[in-house]
Amino acid sequence: MANCGTGSYAATSDIIASDGATSPARQATRIARFGQAMQQRRGLIQLVQWLVVGIYAFLLVVPALLPLPDYQAHILTNLTVFAEFVFWGLWWPFVLISMVLMGRVWCGVFCPEGTLTEAASRIGLGRPIPRWMRWGGWPFVAFLGTTLYGQLASVYQYPLGALVVLGGSTVAAIIVGLIYGKGTRVWCRQLCPVNGVFNLLARLSPTHFRTDQARWNAHNQAVRQGNAVRMHAPDCAPLIPLKQLDSAGDCHVCGRCSGYKNAMQLEWRAPGAELVEPPQPVRFTHYSVLVFGLLGIAIGAFSWSASPWFVALKQQLAFWLIDHDLMWPLTTTLPTWILTNYPEHNDVFNLLDGSLITLWIVVGGGLLGALTSLPLLLGNWLMGGKATLSRLWHLSLSLIPLGGLGVFLGLSATTMTLLRGDGINLTWANDLRATLLALACLWGLRLAWRITGEQRNGEQHNGEQRNGGLLAGNAARLVGTASVALACLPALGIWYLMFWGW
């Protein structure tokens, strides 16, 4: 096992010379001590990581080799149904919850793909990251591609679909690790299909690792003066510049950097504080993953199978094809690993099915994203001042609670379906969904009010006149917050149809 540590927290404070020339160590709060314990127990964390890899491989590969279960199979009596429940009913929904509660600790401590790509990187070629891989659009493109492929292969329903989608991603992660970086997680940083989603959700977390700039500089000065010893830099797997670490978006919460230069530790913060005052500028990448990804593509993927509109559209197109003697879209199928093809279960997608699913997700998701963007654009203009795109990207962050909850609700629908199949009464489920949607919207509106206040204070501090718009002052904050409320309506409308209307 590689040495990923930086020395104990106590040892870090002991580097100060006996004459007390430098400042004392940072106060070790309980959560800071927990972060330091993570740094000191790398061996235990690595053991947990490889244990998760083994469980992941077993639940992914073995069910795909078994016969498909019949309709009488239950969670506790059939391994395939059990694996489906674990992956889509528990694993992924609660990974999303962990992002909001603890940041990306899943990525740094538990994720099997992260473990495998880093291990491969330690024995790989160690080539530098190519320019094409640094393209900022990969988080959205990877999310879109994985979502589409997953729906076409019925990833939630069949173990072969899960093996192709999740296993294919894992193989790609290993290949990238074997070629690029050295002891790092280039795949996680640049190409992971859920990296963009996790980056957004982790910003809501009440905990994060942070670098104290003053203590960092004080330690460097002490080293130059001979009053402290130089510390070995921790190998940050996601390649974050440690001196500027102040965001939970990219940090994997692995604990390796805790105590480094007596300046880095795990800290509490107000939930969502990073959204109000982002440490780095918000970019279009974040906006696209949130508005067109979580609030567009993802909802399209969850909604097509429940929509009577989709069925009606398919029937109309099928009748048109038959009338024009164009039968090949209705009779052509593809291999199971490309397009769902299980005739023994009366579940076969033809080319018409695959094309319509793709159009529904892409066009429908794009339409939802556009409808979500319109009130944000209008509110950004009416707020006055400089209606810049960066201000629009910043305001859109208030929709993260609703976007994250939407994916959780979509994935937990599998949980509900499997539990109902085992005879468990879930009459309370829709009431819980309505409550969670209301709370997510209220949290988003609270964030919008705080974000618009921060934007207004920033404009006043910079001496910018609030012109070019119709409103100013707190009225502008109300308009900005109202625009976020309107931006919630397209997603809320689809969720209403899915759970109550259809």
Side-chain angles (χ1 to χ4, degrees), residues 66-73 78 80-81 84 154 157-159 336 340-349:
L66 298 175
L68 290 175
D70 57 33
Y71 294 105
Q72 302 300 318
N78 185 277
T80 300
V81 179
E84 179 185 351
S154 294
Q157 290 77 29
Y158 296 104
T336 304
T340 300
N341 192 346
Y342 299 93
E344 66 275 20
H345 280 246
N346 296 317
D347 193 3
V348 177
F349 289 172

Side-chain angles (χ1 to χ4, degrees), residues 148 296-297 299-305 307-311 313 354-366 494 502:
L148 276 176
I297 298 299
I299 294 179
F302 290 126
S303 65
W304 71 267
S305 59
S307 174
W309 303 342
F310 180 88
V311 175
L313 177 60
S355 300
L356 279 182
I357 292 171
T358 301
L359 286 174
W360 182 276
I361 294 174
V362 174
V363 177
I494 299 299
W502 289 334

Side-chain angles (χ1 to χ4, degrees), residues 314 317-318 320-322 324-334 339 348-356:
K314 177 185 172 181
L317 287 175
W320 186 89
L321 290 170
I322 293 172
H324 291 77
D325 199 26
L326 296 172
M327 301 302 294
W328 61 268
L330 302 174
T331 58
T332 304
T333 60
L334 296 175
L339 200 60
V348 177
F349 289 172
N350 54 37
L351 288 186
L352 177 62
D353 293 316
S355 300
L356 279 182

Side-chain angles (χ1 to χ4, degrees), residues 263-277:
M264 304 184 70
Q265 70 177 21
L266 188 61
E267 297 180 350
W268 290 108
R269 62 179 182 177
E274 184 178 337
L275 305 184
V276 179
E277 299 183 64

Side-chain angles (χ1 to χ4, degrees), residues 424-437:
I424 298 177
N425 189 344
L426 299 173
T427 55
W428 46 265
N430 277 353
D431 293 335
L432 178 60
R433 287 163 171 159
T435 301
L436 291 176
L437 286 169

